[in-house]
Amino acid sequence: MVLAAPGLTWIISTFGWRAAFVTMSVFGLIWVAVWIRFGKDGPAPQLEASEDKTVPRPTVEAGPPVPYRTILATRTWIGSVLAGFAGYWALAIMIAWIPIYFSKVLGFSGSVMGWLVAIPWGFMAVSMIVQGMLSRSLMNRGVSSRITRGAVTSVALLLCGALVFASLAAGPVWLKIVLLSLGLGMSAVTVPIGQALCSEISPPGRNGGVLGAYAAVYSVAGIISPALTGRVLDSAGSVTDGFSQAFVLCGIILIAAGLIAGLLIHPQSDHNRLAKRAEKRSLQRKNASALVLEDR
């Protein structure tokens, strides 16, 4: 996105919008050719969780698996989903409405727009790398996952919400762009952290379903956020007021989710509880099998 936004803007302004579609088609075909030639499964296709050796995994694999309803009712899963929902809410606004905000409210157009749109994506890329390095560094020092993933998620959302609010109060246009781009762009770190948390608490055989349910719920924000923002803009007295109201709503969602996620996410506790549940179900199955054999 950092490369495509200014590049496609230049192509559209020089050759027309159809040329942008042709360009994307060509890149897509090139990628397919490269993938056919070099794409393949990794060395451990059966691995369901992170290779992080500091993350404990349930050891009981015998017996029926823990029900999904039990896993999806854990504090960590719920907190991760709320954090991901808030992060995706901000990301959806960044995709659908930030170009219009830069154009209609801040007054930018043409090739300048392409570079401005790339700024939030650049911040998002940097924040992903920084978050990964920070979490890995903390875990290597023996810090618990509740801090390295739970607290990092909470602090990231609180900071993003504060930055979005600060952008509304900022005077210079360049400061508005930086603060808003940081607030919206950094919110995306909640999604990969949430995926790691889901893998951490998921018992054997349930990782795919738990991750799928996580993605299905948080990504609903991608439907609601742009539509509701559009309604807010339609009902506001002016475009500027509409965007201000939409950003206030986004900031509230980010801060609220950050607070709730910080209170709920506790992967070690949920992991141990699910492991004990798996052991109990395995023992019940063995006892039932023993009774059947005894009756025979």
Side-chain angles (χ1 to χ4, degrees):
M1 288 300 299
V2 173
L3 298 175
L8 290 177
T9 301
W10 177 81
I11 290 173
I12 292 171
S13 62
T14 305
F15 303 103
W17 65 267
R18 292 178 179 82
F21 280 82
V22 173
T23 301
M24 294 305 298
S25 299
V26 170
F27 273 104
L29 292 172
I30 292 174
W31 175 250
V32 169
V34 172
W35 180 254
I36 290 174
R37 173 63 181 84
F38 297 104
K40 60 182 180 180
D41 287 333
Q46 301 303 318
L47 189 62
E48 286 192 359
S50 167
E51 294 182 1
D52 186 356
K53 301 301 187 295
T54 64
V55 177
R57 297 289 297 164
T59 56
V60 178
E61 300 189 21
V66 178
Y68 280 119
R69 64 177 179 274
T70 302
I71 306 170
L72 305 188
T74 59
R75 296 168 52 189
T76 298
W77 191 86
I78 294 172
S80 299
V81 165
L82 290 175
F85 184 92
Y88 212 67
W89 184 285
L91 183 61
I93 290 178
M94 190 171 82
I95 295 172
W97 289 106
I98 284 302
I100 298 174
Y101 174 74
F102 285 163
S103 174
K104 300 295 185 180
V105 177
L106 301 185
F108 294 99
S109 61
S111 60
V112 176
M113 270 288 296
W115 290 103
L116 291 177
V117 170
I119 293 175
W121 294 95
F123 283 137
M124 185 182 78
V126 172
S127 64
M128 291 281 195
I129 297 172
V130 171
Q131 175 271 318
M133 294 174 63
L134 175 62
S135 294
R136 171 63 63 180
S137 175
L138 291 174
M139 296 190 83
N140 287 340
R141 297 176 186 176
V143 181
S144 69
S145 181
R146 187 181 187 186
I147 301 299
T148 60
R149 289 172 177 157
V152 168
T153 298
S154 178
V155 171
L157 286 173
L158 293 174
L159 179 59
C160 288
L163 288 169
V164 171
F165 279 116
S167 70
L168 297 174
V173 172
W174 67 268
L175 186 57
K176 283 183 176 291
I177 294 173
V178 171
L179 293 174
L180 187 60
S181 297
L182 277 170
L184 298 181
M186 288 197 308
S187 65
V189 303
T190 58
V191 174
I193 297 177
Q195 292 170 339
L197 287 167
C198 287
S199 294
E200 184 174 346
I201 66 171
S202 179
R206 289 306 202 195
N207 203 40
V210 172
L211 284 169
Y214 167 75
V217 176
Y218 84 71
S219 60
V220 172
I223 301 173
I224 301 175
S225 175
L228 185 58
T229 300
R231 286 184 174 273
V232 170
L233 290 171
D234 288 340
S235 61
S238 66
V239 177
T240 301
D241 291 341
F243 272 109
S244 296
Q245 295 170 16
F247 292 153
V248 167
L249 177 61
C250 180
I252 292 173
I253 291 173
L254 290 169
I255 292 176
L259 292 173
I260 296 173
L263 294 173
L264 290 182
I265 295 175
H266 200 317
Q268 288 89 353
S269 175
D270 288 329
H271 163 86
N272 293 334
R273 187 166 66 86
L274 292 173
K276 290 179 180 178
R277 178 68 180 269
E279 286 187 55
K280 182 178 179 180
R281 290 174 66 88
S282 177
L283 183 60
Q284 289 173 344
R285 185 183 183 185
K286 289 179 180 179
N287 291 337
S289 299
L291 290 174
V292 171
L293 291 174
E294 184 178 345
D295 291 341
R296 290 179 179 176

